[in-house]
Amino acid sequence: MQTHSFDVVIVGAGGAGMRAALEASNEASTAVISKLYPTRSHTGAAQGGMCAALANVEDDNWEWHTFDTVKGGDYLVDQDAAEVMAKEAIDAVMDLEHMGLPFNRTPDGKIDQRRFGGHTRNHGEAAVRRACYAADRTGHMILQTLYQNCVKQQVEFFNEFYVLDLLVDHDLSRDTIPEGEAVNAVGVVAYDLASGEIHIFQAKSVVFATGGAGKIFKTTSNAHTLTGDGMALALRRGIPLEDMEFFQFHPTGLAGLGILLSEAARGEGAILRNGNGERFMERYAPTIKDLAPRDIVARSMANEVREGRGAGPNKDYVLLDLTHLEPAHIDAKLPDITEFARTYLGVEPYTEPVPVYPTAHYAMGGIPTNINTEVLRDNEHVVRGLFAAGEVACVSVHGSNRLGTNSLLDINVFGKRAGRAAAEYAKTAQFIDVPGDAVDATVAKLEDMRTRPDGERVADVRRSLQEIMDRNAQVFRTHESLTEALDTIRQLQERYTRVSVQDKGKLFNTDLLEALELGFLLDLAEVVVVGALNRRESRGGHFREDFPDRDDAHYMQHTMVYRRPLAAGDATTDLVATDDLTDANAFDFVEAFDGYKLELGAKPVTVTRYEPMERKY
Ligand SMILES: Cc1cc2nc3c(=O)[nH]c(=O)nc-3n(C[C@H](O)[C@H](O)[C@H](O)COP(=O)(O)OP(=O)(O)OC[C@H]3O[C@@H](n4cnc5c(N)ncnc54)[C@H](O)[C@@H]3O)c2cc1C
């Protein structure tokens, strides 16, 4: 076992992690730990753009951007955070520009901008050109640019190191913290893929930037590695997760595959059509049609299919039509995604419409933070020295539905804030001793799994999880579908205790790591479903067919899920309680499972300028 000490340890080398590293390493000794080689992080797969009200091609301002973000998130957005993001967007784009990012240009040499879903002029009048982009490889350019600058600045990377535990001086999943006493981050435990060796990283500040968790679903745009590690590690230490029931289903995944075709296609003029050739979005969002926010478009598509107006032999998808666009325009603005349609579906987008269907895309929820990226352990207190930014975090700027291009922005704005805050904190903080038994539980678990002679297969358990989540917790949800999903997840949790791996070796044992990642997925799926069961309303990406309206009286609040040990005598509260809903009981049930329970709490939404209104486009 090796130990290291750094002022700041950043977990994750995607956009958020590397943007944080650029800030922190100016001021403090900084290490970045990543399970992937940095440029393989999912940020590199982002296609369409990063928004900022630069007003380079049309009148625009940050206040309109803030409003669109709040309305797009169906008013569950914390408005102070949205305001920070929209204001700091302009500098975030300029920072990247100065680092050398090759944005597309207008004829007079400014950064070009294009339309994207839900971004409008003057509070909804018409779609506005707010997304800065580099063809349909914006994320690739951001990731490469940040990495090159990290190399230039000699940031220290630990690549193909898997963080398997977060060390804190009070385990909140076990201990009650007396009023006035602080909880501090101590460091992390990591597993070196190449050698199988365990490393302890002691740190004054720890930044989690581990990205999303799309792999809880079968049909997803997310990379195989997006298994929600950071969220699950926080949950297991008793740190709450916020708003996990809100998952974004992106309208245009390649049908049957889930591979993403960016919203930039519709931003450049592509149109969605049903099996009858009708431009159905005119019925659902008369003003901005195909450029309505993703939750609305995804639901409209699923509805067309359910009502028998789908396309194809089984009428189970709709069509994205680019055939009226000039091939030269497609080649200049959308080269990669049109190539995906050719490669994976054998469809020629110049002349044929592309089969598409919603695909699990983005976790709106995550580890709760304040606008300075400090992690909250409840509604009032932070964990000192612990920060989170990017898709792993919930600030919350996306509320119940994220607008396209707001995530590449989020990772840059809050990544930068996290790096600064972590370095600043480290200036005055002291290292905290790592307890002698810090790695025992992690090592025991690894060894147990690696050496178990036979048992459940990882791929089988994972497939069952992903299938039930696709079937029962996707665009449409009901009490029945979610209860069935929860039952299945509990059975899978039980099977997971007997999981074994084929590779019994110590070097490059990816088999073993996939088994650990499956544990994270199961824990998070459970939180998603419990949150969804409790939220008996429809808002943003969470649509309950049995409660189709938004219910601000009871649910204009963030969901906080805490994992706690099950004490003797703990009662499992019934999940139903549909007819006696009061403000007081909307968030107070407990879900118990073998050895632990999930407790639900609520956190108020920060409202500054915009009172909730009906959401129409
Ligand atoms: C196909 C696709 C297209 C998209 N297009 C857009 C777009 O056009 N515009 C937009 O705004 N958003 C887009 N998004 C969303 C956006 O790209 C992501 O939300 C964002 O890039 C996430 O960045 P991140 O830094 O938080 O995480 P990631 O880029 O996912 O990085 C996570 C990092 O954490 C590390 N990590 C994870 N677990 C561990 C562990 N246990 N130990 C060590 N390291 C770990 C990984 O190695 C990785 O380096 C898109 C997403 C997808 C999937």
Side-chain angles (χ1 to χ4, degrees), residues 219-221 248-253 257-260 357-361 474:
T219 309
T220 175
S221 66
Q248 175 162 86
F249 301 96
H250 191 296
T252 54
L257 298 172
I259 296 169
L260 193 75
Y357 199 72
T359 182
H361 184 59
Q474 220 231 18

Side-chain angles (χ1 to χ4, degrees), residues 13 15-16 34-36 41-43 46 48-49 163 229 362 391 405 407-408:
S34 176
K35 70 179 184 181
L36 299 172
S41 302
H42 192 71
T43 296
V163 169
D229 309 10
Y362 184 85
E391 195 168 338
T405 67
S407 176
L408 289 180

Side-chain angles (χ1 to χ4, degrees), residues 373-522:
T373 72
E374 294 171 285
V375 170
L376 298 169
R377 63 176 158 95
D378 54 34
N379 290 4
E380 277 125 50
H381 302 94
V382 302
V383 178
R384 287 170 42 176
L386 185 61
F387 306 83
E391 195 168 338
V392 69
C394 183
V395 193
S396 129
V397 280
H398 309 303
S400 60
N401 173 63
R402 171 173 75 78
L403 292 186
T405 67
N406 261 353
S407 176
L408 289 180
L409 176 59
D410 172 3
I411 62 179
N412 276 286
V413 167
F414 290 99
K416 180 175 180 177
R417 283 181 160 244
R420 286 209 172 148
E424 191 58 37
Y425 180 78
K427 278 184 193 157
T428 52
Q430 304 297 318
F431 283 109
I432 294 173
D433 288 342
V434 177
D437 61 356
V439 303
D440 293 1
T442 306
V443 171
K445 189 168 182 178
L446 276 168
E447 281 308 284
D448 194 30
M449 251 180 206
R450 190 176 66 83
T451 54
R452 194 173 292 144
D454 55 13
E456 293 283 351
R457 294 187 66 135
V458 172
D460 293 342
V461 176
R462 188 174 50 214
R463 191 177 317 112
S464 302
L465 171 70
Q466 293 171 336
E467 282 175 357
I468 192 81
M469 291 300 285
D470 263 27
R471 218 171 31 242
N472 289 23
Q474 220 231 18
V475 174
F476 293 116
R477 301 163 168 184
T478 63
H479 180 80
E480 283 66 41
S481 77
L482 293 165
T483 313
E484 192 192 19
L486 186 58
D487 283 347
T488 306
I489 293 166
R490 284 177 175 154
Q491 286 162 25
L492 295 172
Q493 291 273 33
E494 196 275 322
R495 282 172 62 186
Y496 181 70
T497 59
R498 298 189 302 275
V499 92
S500 83
V501 297
Q502 272 77 53
D503 184 351
K504 305 291 182 199
K506 286 206 160 177
L507 311 184
F508 278 101
N509 194 339
T510 50
D511 210 12
L512 182 59
L513 288 157
E514 277 187 33
L516 287 159
E517 289 171 339
L518 174 60
F520 300 143
L521 291 176
L522 285 164

Side-chain angles (χ1 to χ4, degrees), residues 142-258:
I142 290 177
L143 198 65
Q144 299 291 332
T145 303
L146 292 175
Y147 185 55
Q148 285 162 10
N149 281 276
C150 281
V151 170
K152 183 169 133 196
Q153 206 165 294
Q154 300 184 329
V155 173
E156 195 159 344
F157 284 91
F158 293 83
N159 297 331
E160 300 189 322
F161 274 58
Y162 284 63
V163 169
L164 300 182
D165 200 4
L166 163 68
L167 301 175
V168 277
D169 62 355
H170 289 287
D171 185 348
L172 295 158
S173 75
R174 244 185 12 223
D175 313 338
T176 327
I177 312 301
E179 198 46 50
E181 211 164 295
V183 179
N184 298 281
V186 173
V188 297
V189 177
Y191 174 92
D192 175 9
L193 179 65
S195 65
E197 204 182 341
I198 293 284
H199 293 242
I200 293 180
F201 290 83
Q202 186 190 31
K204 294 177 184 166
S205 297
V206 173
V207 181
F208 267 22
T210 51
K215 279 291 162 185
I216 57 178
F217 293 95
K218 177 165 168 248
T219 309
T220 175
S221 66
N222 282 195
H224 286 289
T225 52
L226 289 175
T227 47
D229 309 10
M231 297 175 194
L233 293 177
L235 180 76
R236 288 175 185 180
R237 285 295 187 182
I239 293 165
L241 294 181
E242 180 174 346
D243 289 341
M244 291 295 287
E245 64 272 30
F246 295 106
F247 215 92
Q248 175 162 86
F249 301 96
H250 191 296
T252 54
L254 289 180
L257 298 172

